[in-house]
Amino acid sequence: MSIFSGLFNSRDKPKNQTAGSRYTFYMGGSSSGKAVTERSAMQMTAVYSCVRILSEAVAGLPLHFYRYTDDGGKEKAIDHPLYSLLHDEPNPEMTSFVFRETLMTHLLLWGNAYAQIIRNGKNEIIALYPLMPNKMDVSRDKSGQLYYTYVTQPEEAHTMKGTVIYLTPSEVLHIPGLGFDGLVGYSPIAMAKNAIGMAIACEEYGAKFFANGAAPGGVLEHPGTIKDPQRVRESWQSTFGGSGNSNKVAVLEEGMKYTP
């Protein structure tokens, strides 16, 4: 019962273990024995290709800002301050395409996308900066109000000062993915960790198999005592190891035998 109580949190009480993308229950070792994280999963061709195609497709869609007219229609609000932020340049460091591509990548890998909202003295939005989901926690204070906790690093953007930053909902653009409470999304990578872990294990096994000349490991037997077995092992591996050395003919001396 304690496991399910940690999974299905009520909407008004989000827990830290499922906040952001810090999944203590889901993330980690898989059934194959391979550790699966969002970054290690991106080394799989299938995961990388899916994330790239989806993020680039969403980033390439037209994004305009509209206003309603008096006759019930709508028109592009080109003169609105948010139009240039969403359509052209959310911040001086990236275009709208790169910004949306980054957020979509975060959403696909961590299940949540965050961006810091920068305002001027008039409380007008002047910039949007992506935030790393694995550094963000979503919690509630004693009065039940949501707040965001972001852990920064020395190389973080100049807009973030300090080690731990507390942000209000008005300072964060949060796009959650699929989740149980509608508040925090769950990482698709964490949910599929066993399948991805098996793929990583199969790929590693295949790579090592071909690195060994597409032949299983074996035993070199010598009738006497070898003074330096490590040197013999390295010499054998350098001569017959690797796919480029496969099917070579081995010449064994001094009564040595090779047993697969």
Side-chain angles (χ1 to χ4, degrees):
M1 186 64 182
S2 59
I3 295 179
F4 289 99
S5 62
L7 289 177
F8 300 96
N9 298 309
S10 60
R11 183 179 177 86
D12 61 335
K13 295 180 180 179
K15 300 297 183 181
N16 287 334
Q17 65 264 27
T18 55
S21 63
R22 299 178 182 179
Y23 298 93
T24 56
F25 180 78
Y26 290 113
M27 193 57 72
S30 60
S31 299
S32 64
K34 295 297 179 182
V36 178
T37 65
E38 289 85 1
R39 296 185 184 276
S40 65
M42 281 290 282
Q43 297 179 8
M44 295 299 303
T45 306
V47 175
Y48 178 86
S49 299
C50 291
V51 171
R52 183 183 63 83
I53 291 174
L54 290 173
S55 60
E56 290 181 355
V58 171
L61 294 174
L63 180 59
H64 299 287
F65 197 79
Y66 290 89
R67 69 161 61 94
Y68 286 105
T69 59
D70 296 336
D71 58 358
K74 61 181 180 180
E75 62 181 7
K76 292 182 181 179
I78 301 178
D79 57 339
H80 196 281
L82 290 179
Y83 186 91
S84 60
L85 286 179
L86 298 176
H87 184 267
D88 301 322
E89 190 179 80
N91 61 71
E93 299 175 355
M94 59 188 66
T95 63
S96 177
F97 181 93
V98 174
F99 176 77
R100 286 182 283 157
E101 181 185 38
T102 302
L103 290 189
M104 188 61 185
T105 300
H106 291 173
L107 186 62
L108 293 172
L109 293 177
W110 281 277
N112 293 274
Y114 301 94
Q116 184 189 12
I117 302 174
I118 307 298
R119 302 175 186 269
N120 59 15
K122 299 179 181 179
N123 203 33
E124 298 173 337
I125 300 176
I126 59 174
L128 297 169
Y129 284 91
L131 300 175
M132 289 300 297
N134 60 327
K135 299 179 181 180
M136 183 74 78
D137 281 339
V138 184
S139 304
R140 289 188 187 273
D141 58 21
K142 295 181 179 179
S143 61
Q145 298 297 317
L146 284 175
Y147 69 92
Y148 296 84
T149 306
Y150 191 74
V151 180
T152 65
Q153 300 294 332
E155 65 274 10
E156 293 285 351
H158 66 278
T159 57
M160 310 292 286
K161 301 296 183 181
T163 303
V164 179
I165 306 298
Y166 297 95
L167 301 169
T168 63
S170 63
E171 297 175 307
V172 178
L173 170 63
H174 180 196
I175 305 174
L178 178 65
F180 295 145
D181 58 5
L183 185 64
V184 177
Y186 289 157
S187 168
I189 302 301
M191 294 296 185
K193 68 173 184 177
N194 286 330
I196 297 175
M198 183 179 66
I200 293 175
C202 290
E203 186 177 82
E204 181 179 331
Y205 177 85
K208 290 185 177 180
F209 178 74
F210 285 105
N212 196 37
V219 178
L220 284 173
E221 299 182 49
H222 192 278
T225 302
I226 300 178
K227 296 182 179 180
D228 192 353
Q230 180 65 25
R231 184 178 62 83
V232 175
R233 184 186 299 108
E234 292 176 354
S235 176
W236 178 273
Q237 183 64 29
S238 63
T239 305
F240 302 104
S243 58
N245 296 324
S246 59
N247 299 320
K248 277 189 174 182
V249 178
V251 178
L252 303 179
E253 300 178 302
E254 300 180 1
M256 293 185 66
K257 294 189 301 181
Y258 174 76
T259 304

